[in-house]
Amino acid sequence: MTASLDLAIVGNGAIGCLIDDHAHVVWGCFPRFDGDPLFCSLLREPTPETDFGYLVVDLLDCVKSEQEYQRNTAVLITRLYDKTGGCIEITDFSPRFRQHGRMFCPMMLVRQVRRMNGNPRVRIRMRPATDYGAARTATTSGSNHIRYISTGIVVRLTTDASITATLEETPFYLDDSVTLLLGPDETVQGSVGEVGRHFLEETVSYWSGWVRHLGIPFEWQDAVIRAAITLELNVFDDTGAVIAAVTTSIPEAPGSGRNWDYRYCWLRDAYFVVTALNRLGSTRTMERYLDYILNIIAGTTGGRIQPVYGISGKADLVERIVDTLPGYRGMGPVRVGNEAYEQIQHDVYGAAILAATHVFYDHRLARRGDETLFKRLELLGERAAALYDQPDAGIWELRTRLNVHTFSSVMCWAGCDRLARIAEHLGLHDRAEKWREKAAAMHAVICARCWSPALNSFTGYMDGDALDASLLRLHELGFLRADDPRFAGTVRAIEKQLRRGDFIYRYVEADDFGVPTNAFLVCTLWYCNALAALGEMDHARALFEKVLAGRNRHGLLSEDIDPRSHELWGNFVQTYSMVGLIDCAMRLSVPWEEAYQSPVTAP
């Protein structure tokens, strides 16, 4: 079966697993997001020698499948039907709920298999891999468990199914139900079925309660709820780090070589995630992320920060190619680590400051921003002011070219601008004046050197003539007013040069890997927001609906899309894309207070 991204994600802030339409677990790293993928068949078509790296419960003679999330949760339900009318229901989730005053989110995948109808026969195939698909794990077993021994970790499958049938993959009649608890190498306290039921009840209650407290728009509610849950699934609960995606090396386009490991925390991406969740009223993610980023800042020398860090805050993400996995549809290479940690990307200083700005104003938070935090942020502001007109790799992380990228310069300006506002809010008037002056000087230089009268547009880098889609953020970041003709000019230039069909490319010039062939999804969503800012709501709404139509069956988006076939490409699920979806829905929806006087009805 050809791999696709028509997948669902289940997780809990410790691990994340991807599951296909027949409930095959095809991707999942343990003991955490950046760990060894025990389930890695997403990156390898099976052969007799490599038929492992997955967890499957086969229904013999299966002829049909149905799949959906349990409403407003991260619990996945799959129903499989056999040719005689037999049916089983598979429930997949990772436990997440508050217990003993803290979040309980163990390294665990729970799978419940229940007979719904008929006389179904099933077969459990649990075949985890080790060392990035190099070999199957070794096993030992006990009376109700099997231990799978990898190079760096041992996981335990505790089950009330037959251990012999599970080890030997022997089919058996499913009379009632079986439960599989795949987690730490520890004894499960209590009946396996009862533990599974308790974990499910508590997890459903947690997610339902979390969703009830979201401030969602009137329209596109289900899309926003699914996006918000998905963003939470990409937050490493132990440290507050936000990963870009749970996968590595899904190519941005077929055979492109643009295969990257996204299981780390980009400070820029994380800023967008916490901002989107804040808009929905979920503040805990921001507070946890702020702890993460402040710990990073405390460990820097002279305030220099990298664009990306490990989820523990680790700075060293040495990139290597593994030859034990051929890649998605055989399209390697498969990379572990990310060379971007060595890059210079100046926008990160602004992103860090912007991520922290909210805590100085939000009265709901237990720990508010104060002068001590402000002084720590000033260190980043000094770096931003010194580097805003210096070359860097830019938001798109070009590997062989440096320029003074406009987006990086504007983000540096935004950091200084916010410091001025925070200082004024704190009553530090002399500091406010200092940062206002710095921001004003930076703004003037950017306007002078990044504006092209010939194009009637800002350009992608200083003194250049190329465009990139990050310029669509100029109004959102406060750099330009929506009614500034330069903003409209920039939007028009981008739609003329970067639009292909219904989608916006990030840029169209050749880079280290040639000319891009697929569209970066968030850029189209930025374009929708820019159209809305210009008052073109009907156009923006119509285009947004086309992006929504590109989601997979579960309402999820990857990083890229083929503008012709609308097939999803790139790492999955991509937080950037899900953030863009939330931002657009919030901006484009009819307000709640007008909903009942408007002809618009919620989808």
Side-chain angles (χ1 to χ4, degrees):
M1 183 171 63
T2 302
S4 83
L5 297 182
D6 196 14
L7 305 170
I9 182 171
V10 299
N12 63 355
I15 61 169
C17 295
L18 298 179
I19 300 175
D20 75 7
D21 62 343
H22 279 67
H24 296 189
V25 183
V26 298
W27 182 259
C29 299
F30 289 73
R32 61 187 200 182
F33 295 133
D34 58 355
D36 190 11
L38 300 186
F39 306 122
C40 56
S41 58
L42 181 64
L43 297 184
R44 174 167 61 201
E45 297 288 342
T47 67
E49 295 76 26
T50 63
D51 190 16
F52 57 89
Y54 54 76
L55 167 58
V56 174
V57 175
D58 291 315
L59 172 64
L60 272 62
D61 298 320
C62 181
V63 295
K64 186 177 74 168
S65 69
E66 299 172 347
Q67 194 175 63
E68 62 188 357
Y69 281 108
Q70 187 165 336
R71 182 174 176 270
N72 292 351
T73 74
V75 176
L76 184 69
I77 309 294
T78 308
R79 296 179 190 88
L80 302 178
Y81 299 84
D82 67 24
K83 63 184 182 182
T84 65
C87 174
I88 65 172
E89 182 177 86
I90 300 173
T91 301
D92 286 301
F93 68 97
S94 290
R96 180 178 175 87
F97 50 89
R98 295 200 66 82
Q99 178 174 267
H100 306 309
R102 67 188 300 272
M103 191 65 70
F104 177 67
C105 47
M107 176 198 72
M108 180 177 287
L109 175 67
V110 179
R111 168 160 282 192
Q112 297 175 320
V113 187
R114 185 161 60 105
R115 183 180 72 87
M116 300 296 289
N117 193 49
N119 201 24
R121 293 180 72 211
V122 300
R123 176 177 57 210
I124 299 171
R125 290 187 290 150
M126 171 69 177
R127 300 184 181 184
T130 184
D131 295 331
Y132 283 87
R136 290 184 67 168
T137 57
T139 62
T140 64
S141 61
S143 60
N144 71 337
H145 75 267
I146 306 170
R147 299 168 72 242
Y148 297 89
I149 305 166
S150 177
T151 298
I153 187 175
V154 177
V155 296
R156 179 181 296 213
L157 176 66
T158 305
T159 181
D160 49 11
S162 164
I163 295 299
T164 300
T166 302
L167 281 169
E168 297 182 1
E169 300 181 354
T170 306
F172 60 92
Y173 284 104
L174 183 65
D175 295 324
D176 184 16
S177 66
V178 295
T179 298
L180 312 176
L181 306 177
L182 179 66
D185 186 24
E186 302 168 356
T187 301
V188 172
Q189 302 299 320
S191 158
V192 175
E194 286 300 321
V195 170
R197 279 189 287 274
H198 170 67
F199 282 177
L200 177 60
E201 290 172 1
E202 292 294 327
T203 299
V204 168
S205 177
Y206 167 79
W207 284 115
S208 298
W210 185 81
V211 167
R212 277 198 302 273
H213 288 91
L214 295 178
I216 60 175
F218 177 73
E219 296 179 87
W220 305 295
Q221 293 183 34
D222 289 339
V224 170
I225 288 169
R226 182 53 50 199
I229 291 173
T230 303
L231 293 184
E232 277 292 290
L233 294 181
N234 283 271
V235 178
F236 185 48
D237 196 78
D238 188 54
T239 65
V242 183
I243 61 170
V246 297
T247 58
T248 179
S249 303
I250 308 297
E252 295 180 13
S256 65
R258 302 172 190 266
N259 301 17
W260 316 114
D261 191 348
Y262 274 15
R263 300 171 297 160
Y264 310 112
C265 183
W266 273 258
L267 302 190
R268 175 197 317 113
D269 299 34
Y271 154 66
F272 288 126
V273 170
V274 298
T275 299
L277 290 173
N278 281 343
R279 287 176 178 171
L280 296 174
S282 178
T283 60
R284 182 177 182 270
T285 303
M286 177 188 63
E287 293 178 283
R288 298 288 293 118
Y289 175 65
L290 186 58
D291 289 338
Y292 171 81
I293 199 170
L294 290 178
N295 284 323
I296 285 175
I297 294 169
T300 63
T301 301
R304 182 191 179 278
I305 54 178
Q306 299 171 186
V308 57
Y309 290 85
I311 59 177
S312 65
K314 175 185 175 183
D316 190 350
L317 302 176
V318 174
E319 185 178 295
R320 61 188 175 91
I321 292 175
V322 297
D323 57 11
T324 48
L325 290 171
Y328 181 76
R329 301 186 188 173
M331 299 176 188
V334 172
R335 291 184 170 93
V336 176
N338 200 300
E339 186 183 296
Y341 85 96
E342 296 182 313
Q343 287 190 350
I344 298 170
Q345 295 178 29
H346 295 150
D347 68 292
V348 296
Y349 299 103
I353 295 169
L354 266 61
T357 297
H358 195 87
V359 302
F360 291 91
Y361 295 91
D362 194 332
H363 289 219
R364 297 172 297 172
L365 305 182
R367 191 179 65 194
R368 300 277 304 285
D370 57 16
E371 188 171 346
T372 299
L373 175 57
F374 172 73
K375 288 179 178 178
R376 296 170 79 176
L377 296 178
E378 280 194 300
L379 186 64
L380 303 181
E382 296 291 355
R383 295 281 299 181
L387 297 170
Y388 83 100
D389 60 352
Q390 299 301 305
D392 74 348
I395 183 175
W396 308 123
E397 300 185 343
L398 300 177
R399 293 198 164 199
T400 60
R401 291 202 308 257
L402 297 179
N403 281 302
V404 184
H405 289 94
T406 303
F407 180 81
S408 297
S409 300
V410 169
M411 285 294 284
C412 287
W413 165 84
C416 295
D417 174 76
R418 301 318 188 265
L419 287 175
R421 297 172 188 273
I422 294 168
E424 197 66 55
H425 179 71
L426 294 175
L428 305 174
H429 304 298
D430 57 333
R431 308 304 295 160
E433 183 60 28
K434 170 195 169 178
W435 289 110
R436 270 196 298 269
E437 290 176 357
K438 284 183 179 291
M442 295 161 70
H443 196 283
V445 171
I446 295 169
C447 288
R449 296 185 58 190
C450 299
W451 173 255
S452 168
L455 295 173
N456 192 36
S457 172
F458 279 86
T459 56
Y461 52 88
M462 284 189 176
D463 307 317
D465 57 6
L467 300 179
D468 85 61
S470 63
L471 299 169
L472 294 166
R473 302 281 300 171
L474 292 179
H475 166 61
E476 197 90 5
L477 292 169
F479 188 82
L480 294 178
R481 290 164 49 104
D483 59 1
D484 189 320
R486 293 174 298 178
F487 178 62
T490 300
V491 174
R492 298 304 168 217
I494 286 173
E495 64 190 9
K496 179 180 179 181
Q497 292 195 21
L498 303 187
R499 184 167 179 171
R500 302 290 186 273
D502 294 324
F503 298 94
I504 301 291
Y505 278 53
R506 50 189 166 179
Y507 51 83
V508 293
E509 293 76 22
D511 59 16
D512 313 327
F513 294 85
V515 176
T517 57
N518 280 346
F520 202 73
L521 272 162
V522 77
C523 296
T524 305
L525 295 165
W526 289 347
Y527 176 57
C528 292
N529 279 333
L531 291 174
L534 294 174
E536 301 177 25
M537 291 293 288
D538 290 344
H539 185 184
R541 288 171 59 90
L543 193 58
F544 181 50
E545 290 284 2
K546 291 180 179 179
V547 175
L548 292 178
R551 295 172 299 160
N552 75 6
R553 75 174 74 196
H554 298 296
L556 306 178
L557 291 169
S558 63
E559 181 183 45
D560 304 271
I561 193 167
D562 184 324
R564 298 157 293 275
S565 68
H566 292 188
E567 183 177 8
L568 296 175
W569 289 87
N571 280 306
F572 182 87
V573 177
Q574 174 73 4
T575 55
Y576 239 163
S577 301
M578 304 311 287
V579 164
L581 186 159
I582 291 172
D583 287 347
C584 275
M586 296 289 283
R587 179 183 288 270
L588 300 178
S589 173
V590 59
W592 278 91
E593 59 271 19
E594 298 177 13
Y596 307 107
Q597 288 79 43
S598 168
V600 176
T601 56

